Amino acid sequence: MIFQSARFYVLFMLLTWLGFASCRGLVAEDDRLNVVFVLCDDHRFDCLGAAGHPFLETPNIDALATRGAMLTHTYVTTSLCSPSRASILTGQYAHNHRVVDNYHPVDPGLVFFPQQMQKSGYETAFIGKWHMGGDVDDRQRGFDHWVAFKGQGTYWPDGHGTTREVPQTTYDGFNVNGKRVPQKGYITDELTDYAIDWLDKRESAKPFFMYVSHKAVHADFVPADRHRGRYEDAELPIRTPTVDEMKQGNLPMWVRNQRNSRHGADFGYNIENFSPEVYYRRYCESLLAVDDSVGRLTKYLSDQKLLDNTLFIYMGDNGFQFGDHGLIDKRTAYEASAKVPLLMMAKGKIPAGLRFEGLVGNIDLAPTILHATSSNPIANVDGQSFWSALCAADPTQLKRPDLLYEYYWERNYPHTPTLHAIIGGRWKYIRCHGIWDRDELYDLEQDPEEMNNLIDRPEHAERIVSLNQRLWELLFNSNGREVPLLEDRGPRFPWRHPAEADQAKFPKEYFRRNEYGTSK
């Protein structure tokens, strides 16, 4: 009788502790959320059916917004593949993780958030595009299962469907846990096959984290054969401004000059008669297979009774310009380049159908996922968890007015200067570094296309001073007092077309009559 009473007491105390722990968010391992994180390359914020796109069909990604949340105010802090991916993994700004281009290796001392998940009992997998350190596809820390390819890989193993070979294209297949395996088919579909295969063959009872990192939709855009031509007659919903409009909008010299460059609408990728319209249609067609991938993954999880206990995240690593500001590609601090889609679904945690308007950055993903999975945080992060605010549908909990944006000049692509910016609020302030040019100020409420630069308007003088002070506050508070400097690597593309837009003139406000500053 005494033994039974003692056993009952122990059981009672255990149940009481578990109830208390549950209230504190310390749940038993088997009850912790699985996580599937799908990253799409170059996916700009408005290329979704759920974002109101006029013709693009993304029903499976849209379903995440219906069954979970669409975070409508999400930015990357550097709009470039490798720096953005490093910020996602570390929670740090580029000036701290120092991955500032697509060619240099990652500091082996950096901590990636999946390492913390492993320590807390998660089984982890990476499947897809690593793209940090040039043509590196070696297994990286933090992942138990590894499937990757070197550099940019290729959409098809025979290269069909492309019009040009982008730098770092590779055709030597996949590294599957250290074994070289040939690529068989269309890469978006094949990466999804690898992801489902890993889920299907798991024997561990541990919760899992799976990171699916697509090559798509990186240029050169090659849709799956089944989607080719779907939008052949679609009208481009983005208008390329004229040279005169760019001048009248007071845009900097570097922006007007970049129009006639590898990353400009007049001479895109240094192709004669480049057409942003044709590229945009192929981009949209290439996104269709990514949407299929999301559908296949969510269906598998649902069929295996895993979806209800899985946090499913979909995100773009940066945006992409298709004639916006006369530019193509990314790297700039403009909305089309720096703003990305982010959708998150977790049944019973994230309210269904929520449009979350809180300001979120790619530096916030690591602390948020660690928070959601009760894993220990990373010691040195610049981001913050938005998990509690999202689950409570209360963006006011974030208390963040803005984000720091930074991009560091690359010798490979000399058209875009080093840029620092304040983004995420009504007023966007962009400071160019190391060139003789004007800065930028935009009122996104009145000028969402960012074509009316207010930087020299006297009525905004105090605002500009305040934003400049805020910029340096964000830099100094995050130890951003140095510009990362790396040796030259990779090809250079400084070319201009002799028959396209002429070189821009110096800003008129730079011309003065005398030492007292009388305007000419």
Side-chain angles (χ1 to χ4, degrees), residues 157-440:
D158 63 1
H160 79 263
T162 188
T163 55
R164 67 183 184 91
E165 190 171 280
V166 303
Q168 297 181 310
T169 294
T170 56
Y171 295 93
D172 51 355
F174 301 104
N175 174 350
V176 181
N177 294 319
K179 180 181 179 182
R180 184 60 54 190
V181 178
Q183 181 179 342
K184 298 176 182 177
Y186 187 65
I187 196 164
T188 306
D189 297 339
E190 195 160 354
L191 292 176
T192 309
D193 292 342
Y194 273 114
I196 291 175
D197 183 67
W198 180 72
L199 290 172
D200 204 43
K201 292 179 179 178
R202 284 184 73 244
E203 296 180 353
S204 171
K206 295 180 177 180
F208 63 82
F209 168 71
M210 183 174 71
Y211 183 170
V212 181
S213 179
H214 283 296
K215 169 185 172 58
V217 284
H218 192 281
D220 186 43
F221 313 116
V222 179
D225 289 346
R226 64 185 180 276
H227 297 137
R228 184 178 298 276
R230 172 82 66 88
Y231 301 129
E232 186 174 352
D233 299 320
E235 183 177 348
L236 184 71
I238 303 162
R239 191 181 71 84
T240 301
T242 65
V243 172
D244 284 343
E245 286 173 327
M246 295 175 70
K247 181 179 180 181
Q248 292 165 10
N250 212 30
L251 299 188
M253 281 191 297
W254 74 262
V255 177
R256 293 158 59 197
N257 284 328
Q258 187 169 319
R259 181 190 181 106
N260 183 358
S261 76
R262 185 176 181 84
H263 292 157
D266 287 355
F267 198 26
Y269 303 115
N270 303 142
I271 297 172
E272 290 277 353
N273 302 314
F274 175 80
S275 170
E277 292 87 353
V278 170
Y279 253 59
Y280 185 80
R281 294 185 189 109
R282 287 174 52 187
Y283 172 88
C284 290
E285 291 170 358
S286 302
L287 267 168
L288 297 176
V290 177
D291 186 73
D292 288 348
S293 173
V294 170
R296 289 180 59 197
L297 290 170
T298 53
K299 184 179 186 303
Y300 177 87
L301 293 168
S302 179
D303 290 347
Q304 300 300 314
K305 312 300 182 187
L306 293 168
L307 190 60
D308 287 353
N309 194 45
T310 297
L311 169 59
F312 197 103
I313 305 171
Y314 179 91
M315 187 180 183
D317 72 338
N318 48 249
F320 205 86
Q321 298 158 144
F322 288 95
D324 317 72
H325 291 86
L327 309 180
I328 62 168
D329 198 73
K330 52 257 186 176
R331 292 174 167 85
T332 70
Y334 301 131
E335 297 289 281
S337 172
K339 194 173 183 180
V340 295
L342 177 60
L343 302 100
M344 299 176 64
M345 175 178 68
K347 186 176 180 180
K349 306 284 186 183
I350 300 173
L354 174 64
R355 291 182 70 87
F356 187 80
E357 297 182 357
L359 178 58
V360 170
N362 56 348
I363 56 174
D364 299 330
L365 266 293
T368 298
I369 292 173
L370 293 177
H371 184 183
T373 57
S374 300
S375 302
N376 288 330
I378 301 174
N380 299 310
V381 297
D382 300 309
Q384 63 182 16
S385 171
F386 57 85
W387 180 244
S388 295
L390 181 63
C391 292
D394 183 10
T396 64
Q397 292 185 18
L398 296 180
K399 303 186 186 307
R400 170 192 273 160
D402 47 36
L403 277 168
L404 170 69
Y405 180 87
E406 58 186 342
Y407 166 79
Y408 296 97
W409 178 83
E410 301 167 89
R411 186 173 175 83
N412 316 81
Y413 307 98
H415 346 290
T416 310
T418 292
L419 299 169
H420 292 95
I422 297 290
I423 62 174
R426 172 179 175 177
W427 300 95
K428 180 178 291 186
Y429 171 69
I430 306 173
R431 178 187 184 274
C432 59
H433 181 83
I435 57 172
W436 193 4
D437 209 342
R438 58 165 61 104
D439 295 329
E440 298 168 82

